[in-house]
Amino acid sequence: TEPVPDPVSVQAELVHLSRLAPDVFCASVEVERPLHYLPGQYCNVQFRGYPSRCYSPTYPLEGGPSAHLLHFHIRTLPDGAVSSALGDTIRAGHRIRLTGPHGGAFLRPNHQGGTVLVSGGTGFAPMWSIATAAITEAPERELIFVVAARDLASFYMHRALCRLALFPNVTIVPVVTEPQNVSTAFRKGLPTDHLPILAANDIVYTAGAPGLTDHVAR
């Protein structure tokens, strides 16, 4: 077993809510004291008056991190008890209780082989956290990042990926599942259609819908 931060419970406040895509919000949350987590872990997030949900804190899409500010990417669902209230009854100033961190799918440091990341939708949040930590640890690291969204409008990650693409051994594979004829930069199909050939010492991280993560695991 590997050492992980002990879960704690902290009070927080929603300080900013921005729309990243038609169906995705970024909730920026200020915590009363820093919450220590490993890249890729998640928290139980409870907006006051609503049931708790599991979201992964992630590195900012632009700029640098702050010890007292956490960012969560939340996909909205029409019948979602929590997500459908974002921007309506859940606004800046809403009180929150965070419990965590949890989860074992976190960055393993000092890995000498290649690193492959696969994300679908808002599964990008924990994978972006892992990607930035991995490159910060070793800027020359060989890293392949397969990033998938349902359509171009939902591909909110472009600015973050442009930052990552500046590093010499990073390969980014953008994928949209719905057909489009706007850009040839995007691959067609499913993210699992574009997985690289793996070497014995590669390590793979993935986050997204259960069907995606199960397929990647197989």
Side-chain angles (χ1 to χ4, degrees):
T1 59
E2 295 139 317
V4 296
D6 292 327
V8 297
S9 183
V10 298
Q11 296 290 333
E13 179 181 328
L14 179 63
V15 294
H16 188 66
L17 194 64
S18 59
R19 191 178 288 275
L20 300 177
D23 60 346
V24 178
F25 277 100
C26 178
S28 298
V29 173
E30 185 175 28
V31 290
E32 60 183 8
R33 63 180 188 275
L35 178 72
H36 299 289
Y37 66 94
L38 300 176
Q41 289 191 299
Y42 68 91
C43 299
N44 288 322
V45 180
Q46 184 174 23
F47 294 92
R48 180 173 291 175
Y50 292 87
S52 64
R53 294 290 186 264
C54 296
Y55 303 123
S56 292
T58 191
Y59 197 85
L61 297 179
E62 298 182 77
S66 167
H68 286 272
L69 205 60
L70 300 178
H71 307 278
F72 300 97
H73 299 173
I74 304 174
R75 179 171 174 247
T76 58
L77 301 172
D79 57 350
V82 177
S83 65
S84 63
L86 294 174
D88 185 12
T89 52
I90 297 178
R91 302 179 181 179
H94 205 105
R95 298 298 298 172
I96 301 169
R97 176 174 290 278
L98 299 177
T99 306
H102 305 289
F106 52 82
L107 176 69
R108 268 56 178 184
N110 305 314
H111 178 70
Q112 299 305 309
T115 301
V116 177
L117 309 178
V118 185
S119 73
T122 51
F124 178 76
M127 295 299 96
W128 174 237
S129 186
I130 287 178
T132 54
I135 290 298
T136 300
E137 178 190 67
E140 302 295 320
R141 179 191 301 272
E142 181 182 354
L143 187 146
I144 298 174
F145 198 169
V146 181
V147 184
R150 288 182 299 177
D151 52 39
L152 287 179
S154 298
F155 203 90
Y156 65 86
M157 316 84 171
H158 53 284
R159 290 179 182 170
L161 295 175
C162 286
R163 298 170 64 184
L164 189 62
L166 297 175
F167 291 86
N169 295 317
V170 168
T171 301
I172 296 169
V173 183
V175 181
V176 292
T177 53
E178 292 187 2
Q180 58 85 30
N181 56 9
V182 176
S183 172
T184 58
F186 290 86
R187 309 284 182 90
K188 296 184 293 184
L190 300 174
T192 46
D193 297 333
H194 304 285
L195 295 180
I197 301 299
L198 298 177
N201 61 343
D202 287 342
I203 188 168
V204 180
Y205 301 91
T206 183
L212 168 64
T213 57
D214 290 346
H215 197 171
V216 172
R218 287 195 299 270

